[in-house]
Amino acid sequence: MRRRIVFLGPPGAGKGTQAQMLAEFLGVPVIATGDLLRAEVAADTPLGRQAREFMEQGALVPDPLVMEILKRRLAQPDCEQGFILDGFPRTLAQAQALEELLGPQGRAIEAVLELEVPEAVLVERFSGRRVCRHCGHVYHLHTHPPRCAGTCDRCGDALIQRADDTPATVRTRLQIYHQATEPLIHFYRERGLLHRIDGSGDIDRIQHATREVVVAQDDTQGA
Ligand code: AMP
């Protein structure tokens, strides 16, 4: 079973949802750098104060800041049996830094799952996306609505639209994905780690495909 996993894919591809479902199956934590950064901003830490402006514009937070929170999180005991990275790495420099961090510890990444979703579907997903302002659980107005409109099923707090889910910011984030993050597809394919998964359509079917990759024993399945 592969337990050190990276999810790749454009913003809105469903990485968060799939990563959470896979984490429950594998019994390992999801490490979402976006969530870690939002927590720093909310707590108004020095790191959060530096990251805030980049995030509001939909730009990438500088690598040293992201590496600092990632290293801190990966050092926690719950990551010993594995982890799923969601939203990291986003640049070649981050992917290289991750290799340098994990390789010497014998904890190298074992599979990279790329969720492929057509751009038109992404834009639709963003416009309907709502998140709980307290626990961060993600909903969609049409495909995954809460039981009671505007309220989180899990904790009862209010659902909000993320400040960076506006159409202009979404365009910036998609552009950054194409420029900075897409080259990682080649990087991981060369290493035999890349698995492409059709990320449009039914959530359970996509999850089934991701589980097939993590339980596969032979390493010749890379795309
Ligand atoms: P996400 O929740 O993954 O969409 O991330 C939200 C925002 O956090 C991004 O638009 C970036 O500003 C920032 N961010 C999250 N992860 C990274 C990363 N690996 N590198 C740089 N910036 C990041």
Side-chain angles (χ1 to χ4, degrees), residues 172-207:
T172 308
R173 290 163 65 202
L174 284 172
Q175 250 168 20
I176 291 177
Y177 178 76
H178 292 311
Q179 283 162 13
T181 310
E182 246 170 21
L184 295 183
I185 293 169
H186 178 67
F187 178 89
Y188 284 120
R189 186 189 288 121
E190 271 191 332
R191 284 157 174 72
L193 293 173
L194 187 76
H195 300 264
R196 297 195 122 151
I197 291 170
D198 178 0
S200 51
D202 183 62
I203 287 179
D204 293 326
R205 187 197 52 73
I206 302 167
Q207 180 60 204

Short mmCIF file of all heavy atoms in Angstrom, two decimals, residues 172-207:
data_model
loop_
_atom_site.label_atom_id
_atom_site.label_comp_id
_atom_site.label_asym_id
_atom_site.label_seq_id
_atom_site.Cartn_x
_atom_site.Cartn_y
_atom_site.Cartn_z
N THR A 172 -6.47 34.09 -12.22
CA THR A 172 -5.05 34.19 -11.84
C THR A 172 -4.55 32.84 -11.35
O THR A 172 -3.46 32.38 -11.73
CB THR A 172 -4.86 35.20 -10.68
OG1 THR A 172 -5.50 36.41 -11.05
CG2 THR A 172 -3.41 35.45 -10.37
N ARG A 173 -5.34 32.18 -10.53
CA ARG A 173 -4.88 30.91 -9.95
C ARG A 173 -4.73 29.83 -11.02
O ARG A 173 -3.81 29.02 -10.97
CB ARG A 173 -5.84 30.46 -8.84
CG ARG A 173 -5.73 31.37 -7.62
CD ARG A 173 -6.91 31.25 -6.69
NE ARG A 173 -7.00 29.94 -6.08
CZ ARG A 173 -8.14 29.44 -5.59
NH1 ARG A 173 -9.27 30.12 -5.66
NH2 ARG A 173 -8.14 28.26 -5.03
N LEU A 174 -5.63 29.85 -12.01
CA LEU A 174 -5.53 28.87 -13.10
C LEU A 174 -4.28 29.13 -13.94
O LEU A 174 -3.57 28.21 -14.33
CB LEU A 174 -6.78 28.90 -13.98
CG LEU A 174 -8.02 28.22 -13.37
CD1 LEU A 174 -9.25 28.49 -14.23
CD2 LEU A 174 -7.80 26.71 -13.22
N GLN A 175 -4.01 30.42 -14.19
CA GLN A 175 -2.82 30.79 -14.98
C GLN A 175 -1.56 30.33 -14.26
O GLN A 175 -0.65 29.76 -14.86
CB GLN A 175 -2.75 32.32 -15.08
CG GLN A 175 -3.03 32.85 -16.46
CD GLN A 175 -3.22 34.36 -16.40
OE1 GLN A 175 -2.79 35.01 -15.45
NE2 GLN A 175 -3.88 34.90 -17.39
N ILE A 176 -1.52 30.58 -12.95
CA ILE A 176 -0.35 30.17 -12.16
C ILE A 176 -0.19 28.66 -12.20
O ILE A 176 0.91 28.14 -12.30
CB ILE A 176 -0.46 30.68 -10.71
CG1 ILE A 176 -0.32 32.20 -10.68
CG2 ILE A 176 0.57 30.03 -9.81
CD1 ILE A 176 -0.50 32.81 -9.31
N TYR A 177 -1.32 27.97 -12.16
CA TYR A 177 -1.24 26.50 -12.22
C TYR A 177 -0.56 26.07 -13.53
O TYR A 177 0.35 25.26 -13.53
CB TYR A 177 -2.63 25.86 -12.10
CG TYR A 177 -2.54 24.36 -12.23
CD1 TYR A 177 -2.07 23.61 -11.16
CD2 TYR A 177 -2.85 23.71 -13.41
CE1 TYR A 177 -1.92 22.23 -11.27
CE2 TYR A 177 -2.71 22.33 -13.53
CZ TYR A 177 -2.25 21.60 -12.46
OH TYR A 177 -2.08 20.24 -12.57
N HIS A 178 -1.02 26.65 -14.65
CA HIS A 178 -0.45 26.25 -15.94
C HIS A 178 1.04 26.57 -16.00
O HIS A 178 1.84 25.75 -16.46
CB HIS A 178 -1.17 26.96 -17.10
CG HIS A 178 -2.60 26.49 -17.25
ND1 HIS A 178 -2.92 25.15 -17.29
CD2 HIS A 178 -3.78 27.16 -17.35
CE1 HIS A 178 -4.24 25.01 -17.40
NE2 HIS A 178 -4.76 26.22 -17.44
N GLN A 179 1.42 27.75 -15.50
CA GLN A 179 2.83 28.17 -15.62
C GLN A 179 3.74 27.46 -14.61
O GLN A 179 4.78 26.94 -14.97
CB GLN A 179 2.95 29.68 -15.38
CG GLN A 179 2.51 30.49 -16.59
CD GLN A 179 2.22 31.94 -16.21
OE1 GLN A 179 2.57 32.39 -15.12
NE2 GLN A 179 1.56 32.66 -17.09
N ALA A 180 3.34 27.47 -13.35
CA ALA A 180 4.27 27.04 -12.29
C ALA A 180 4.09 25.57 -11.91
O ALA A 180 5.07 24.90 -11.60
CB ALA A 180 4.09 27.93 -11.05
N THR A 181 2.86 25.09 -11.93
CA THR A 181 2.62 23.76 -11.35
C THR A 181 2.57 22.66 -12.40
O THR A 181 3.03 21.54 -12.15
CB THR A 181 1.32 23.78 -10.52
OG1 THR A 181 1.37 24.91 -9.64
CG2 THR A 181 1.17 22.52 -9.69
N GLU A 182 2.07 22.96 -13.60
CA GLU A 182 1.98 21.91 -14.63
C GLU A 182 3.32 21.24 -14.95
O GLU A 182 3.36 20.04 -15.22
CB GLU A 182 1.35 22.47 -15.91
CG GLU A 182 0.01 21.82 -16.18
CD GLU A 182 -0.77 22.50 -17.30
OE1 GLU A 182 -0.16 23.21 -18.12
OE2 GLU A 182 -1.98 22.31 -17.33
N PRO A 183 4.46 22.01 -14.90
CA PRO A 183 5.74 21.34 -15.15
C PRO A 183 6.02 20.17 -14.20
O PRO A 183 6.84 19.30 -14.50
CB PRO A 183 6.78 22.46 -14.95
CG PRO A 183 6.03 23.72 -15.24
CD PRO A 183 4.61 23.47 -14.78
N LEU A 184 5.33 20.13 -13.08
CA LEU A 184 5.54 19.03 -12.13
C LEU A 184 5.04 17.71 -12.69
O LEU A 184 5.47 16.64 -12.28
CB LEU A 184 4.80 19.31 -10.82
CG LEU A 184 5.30 20.50 -10.03
CD1 LEU A 184 4.54 20.61 -8.72
CD2 LEU A 184 6.77 20.33 -9.74
N ILE A 185 4.12 17.78 -13.65
CA ILE A 185 3.59 16.56 -14.25
C ILE A 185 4.74 15.81 -14.91
O ILE A 185 4.92 14.60 -14.73
CB ILE A 185 2.46 16.91 -15.25
CG1 ILE A 185 1.27 17.49 -14.47
CG2 ILE A 185 2.07 15.71 -16.09
CD1 ILE A 185 0.20 18.11 -15.34
N HIS A 186 5.54 16.56 -15.66
CA HIS A 186 6.70 15.98 -16.33
C HIS A 186 7.72 15.47 -15.30
O HIS A 186 8.25 14.36 -15.41
CB HIS A 186 7.32 17.05 -17.24
CG HIS A 186 8.54 16.60 -17.94
ND1 HIS A 186 8.53 15.63 -18.91
CD2 HIS A 186 9.84 16.97 -17.79
CE1 HIS A 186 9.77 15.43 -19.34
NE2 HIS A 186 10.58 16.21 -18.67
N PHE A 187 7.96 16.30 -14.28
CA PHE A 187 8.92 15.96 -13.21
C PHE A 187 8.58 14.61 -12.58
O PHE A 187 9.44 13.74 -12.43
CB PHE A 187 8.85 17.09 -12.16
CG PHE A 187 9.73 16.91 -10.94
CD1 PHE A 187 11.04 17.39 -10.94
CD2 PHE A 187 9.24 16.33 -9.78
CE1 PHE A 187 11.84 17.26 -9.81
CE2 PHE A 187 10.03 16.20 -8.65
CZ PHE A 187 11.34 16.66 -8.67
N TYR A 188 7.31 14.40 -12.26
CA TYR A 188 6.93 13.16 -11.58
C TYR A 188 6.76 12.00 -12.56
O TYR A 188 6.94 10.84 -12.19
CB TYR A 188 5.66 13.38 -10.75
CG TYR A 188 5.95 14.14 -9.47
CD1 TYR A 188 5.34 15.35 -9.19
CD2 TYR A 188 6.86 13.64 -8.53
CE1 TYR A 188 5.62 16.04 -8.02
CE2 TYR A 188 7.15 14.33 -7.36
CZ TYR A 188 6.53 15.52 -7.11
OH TYR A 188 6.82 16.20 -5.95
N ARG A 189 6.42 12.32 -13.82
CA ARG A 189 6.32 11.24 -14.80
C ARG A 189 7.70 10.61 -15.02
O ARG A 189 7.85 9.40 -15.07
CB ARG A 189 5.76 11.76 -16.13
CG ARG A 189 5.52 10.61 -17.10
CD ARG A 189 5.17 11.04 -18.49
NE ARG A 189 3.84 11.59 -18.58
CZ ARG A 189 3.57 12.82 -19.01
NH1 ARG A 189 4.55 13.62 -19.41
NH2 ARG A 189 2.34 13.25 -19.06
N GLU A 190 8.71 11.50 -15.11
CA GLU A 190 10.10 11.00 -15.28
C GLU A 190 10.51 10.07 -14.15
O GLU A 190 11.33 9.19 -14.34
CB GLU A 190 11.06 12.19 -15.26
CG GLU A 190 11.31 12.80 -16.61
CD GLU A 190 12.47 13.79 -16.54
OE1 GLU A 190 12.70 14.38 -15.46
OE2 GLU A 190 13.11 13.96 -17.58
N ARG A 191 9.97 10.29 -12.98
CA ARG A 191 10.32 9.47 -11.83
C ARG A 191 9.43 8.22 -11.71
O ARG A 191 9.55 7.47 -10.75
CB ARG A 191 10.23 10.31 -10.54
CG ARG A 191 11.43 11.24 -10.40
CD ARG A 191 11.13 12.42 -9.52
NE ARG A 191 12.33 13.22 -9.30
CZ ARG A 191 12.91 13.99 -10.22
NH1 ARG A 191 12.39 14.07 -11.44
NH2 ARG A 191 14.00 14.68 -9.94
N GLY A 192 8.51 8.07 -12.68
CA GLY A 192 7.64 6.89 -12.67
C GLY A 192 6.58 6.93 -11.57
O GLY A 192 6.01 5.91 -11.21
N LEU A 193 6.29 8.13 -11.07
CA LEU A 193 5.36 8.23 -9.94
C LEU A 193 3.98 8.71 -10.35
O LEU A 193 3.03 8.65 -9.57
CB LEU A 193 5.91 9.22 -8.89
CG LEU A 193 7.18 8.80 -8.16
CD1 LEU A 193 7.71 9.94 -7.29
CD2 LEU A 193 6.89 7.57 -7.29
N LEU A 194 3.85 9.22 -11.59
CA LEU A 194 2.62 9.91 -11.98
C LEU A 194 1.50 8.96 -12.39
O LEU A 194 1.71 8.03 -13.17
CB LEU A 194 2.91 10.85 -13.15
CG LEU A 194 1.72 11.75 -13.51
CD1 LEU A 194 1.59 12.88 -12.49
CD2 LEU A 194 1.86 12.32 -14.90
N HIS A 195 0.32 9.23 -11.86
CA HIS A 195 -0.89 8.48 -12.24
C HIS A 195 -1.96 9.50 -12.57
O HIS A 195 -2.32 10.32 -11.72
CB HIS A 195 -1.36 7.59 -11.09
CG HIS A 195 -0.33 6.60 -10.68
ND1 HIS A 195 -0.31 5.30 -11.14
CD2 HIS A 195 0.75 6.73 -9.87
CE1 HIS A 195 0.74 4.67 -10.62
NE2 HIS A 195 1.38 5.52 -9.85
N ARG A 196 -2.47 9.45 -13.80
CA ARG A 196 -3.50 10.42 -14.20
C ARG A 196 -4.87 9.82 -13.93
O ARG A 196 -5.13 8.66 -14.27
CB ARG A 196 -3.39 10.74 -15.69
CG ARG A 196 -2.09 11.40 -16.04
CD ARG A 196 -2.17 12.00 -17.41
NE ARG A 196 -1.89 13.41 -17.30
CZ ARG A 196 -1.34 14.13 -18.28
NH1 ARG A 196 -1.11 13.60 -19.45
NH2 ARG A 196 -1.11 15.41 -18.10
N ILE A 197 -5.74 10.65 -13.36
CA ILE A 197 -7.08 10.18 -13.04
C ILE A 197 -8.08 11.19 -13.57
O ILE A 197 -7.90 12.41 -13.39
CB ILE A 197 -7.22 10.03 -11.50
CG1 ILE A 197 -6.33 8.86 -11.05
CG2 ILE A 197 -8.66 9.81 -11.08
CD1 ILE A 197 -6.17 8.75 -9.57
N ASP A 198 -9.12 10.68 -14.23
CA ASP A 198 -10.18 11.57 -14.74
C ASP A 198 -10.93 12.14 -13.54
O ASP A 198 -11.59 11.41 -12.82
CB ASP A 198 -11.10 10.74 -15.66
CG ASP A 198 -12.26 11.58 -16.18
OD1 ASP A 198 -12.35 12.78 -15.85
OD2 ASP A 198 -13.08 11.02 -16.94
N GLY A 199 -10.80 13.46 -13.35
CA GLY A 199 -11.37 14.08 -12.15
C GLY A 199 -12.72 14.72 -12.39
O GLY A 199 -13.21 15.47 -11.54
N SER A 200 -13.35 14.44 -13.57
CA SER A 200 -14.70 14.98 -13.78
C SER A 200 -15.69 13.86 -13.48
O SER A 200 -15.37 12.68 -13.61
CB SER A 200 -14.86 15.49 -15.21
OG SER A 200 -14.44 14.50 -16.12
N GLY A 201 -16.89 14.24 -13.08
CA GLY A 201 -17.90 13.21 -12.84
C GLY A 201 -18.01 12.81 -11.39
O GLY A 201 -17.66 13.57 -10.48
N ASP A 202 -18.47 11.58 -11.21
CA ASP A 202 -18.90 11.10 -9.89
C ASP A 202 -17.75 11.01 -8.86
O ASP A 202 -16.72 10.39 -9.12
CB ASP A 202 -19.54 9.72 -10.11
CG ASP A 202 -20.09 9.18 -8.82
OD1 ASP A 202 -21.00 9.82 -8.27
OD2 ASP A 202 -19.58 8.15 -8.35
N ILE A 203 -17.97 11.60 -7.70
CA ILE A 203 -16.94 11.65 -6.65
C ILE A 203 -16.50 10.24 -6.22
O ILE A 203 -15.31 9.98 -6.05
CB ILE A 203 -17.49 12.44 -5.42
CG1 ILE A 203 -17.55 13.93 -5.74
CG2 ILE A 203 -16.63 12.19 -4.18
CD1 ILE A 203 -18.08 14.79 -4.62
N ASP A 204 -17.45 9.31 -6.08
CA ASP A 204 -17.10 7.97 -5.61
C ASP A 204 -16.31 7.19 -6.66
O ASP A 204 -15.42 6.41 -6.32
CB ASP A 204 -18.37 7.19 -5.22
CG ASP A 204 -19.02 7.80 -3.99
OD1 ASP A 204 -18.27 8.30 -3.13
OD2 ASP A 204 -20.25 7.79 -3.90
N ARG A 205 -16.65 7.44 -7.93
CA ARG A 205 -15.91 6.75 -9.00
C ARG A 205 -14.45 7.25 -9.02
O ARG A 205 -13.51 6.46 -9.18
CB ARG A 205 -16.56 7.01 -10.36
CG ARG A 205 -15.95 6.20 -11.50
CD ARG A 205 -16.30 6.75 -12.87
NE ARG A 205 -16.01 8.18 -13.02
CZ ARG A 205 -14.79 8.68 -13.13
NH1 ARG A 205 -13.73 7.89 -13.10
NH2 ARG A 205 -14.60 9.98 -13.24
N ILE A 206 -14.27 8.55 -8.84
CA ILE A 206 -12.91 9.11 -8.83
C ILE A 206 -12.13 8.54 -7.63
O ILE A 206 -10.97 8.15 -7.75
CB ILE A 206 -12.96 10.66 -8.74
CG1 ILE A 206 -13.74 11.23 -9.92
CG2 ILE A 206 -11.55 11.25 -8.71
CD1 ILE A 206 -14.13 12.69 -9.77
N GLN A 207 -12.82 8.43 -6.49
CA GLN A 207 -12.16 7.89 -5.31
C GLN A 207 -11.75 6.43 -5.54
O GLN A 207 -10.66 6.01 -5.15
CB GLN A 207 -13.10 8.00 -4.09
CG GLN A 207 -12.54 7.46 -2.80
CD GLN A 207 -11.25 8.15 -2.34
OE1 GLN A 207 -10.48 7.59 -1.60
NE2 GLN A 207 -11.02 9.37 -2.78
#
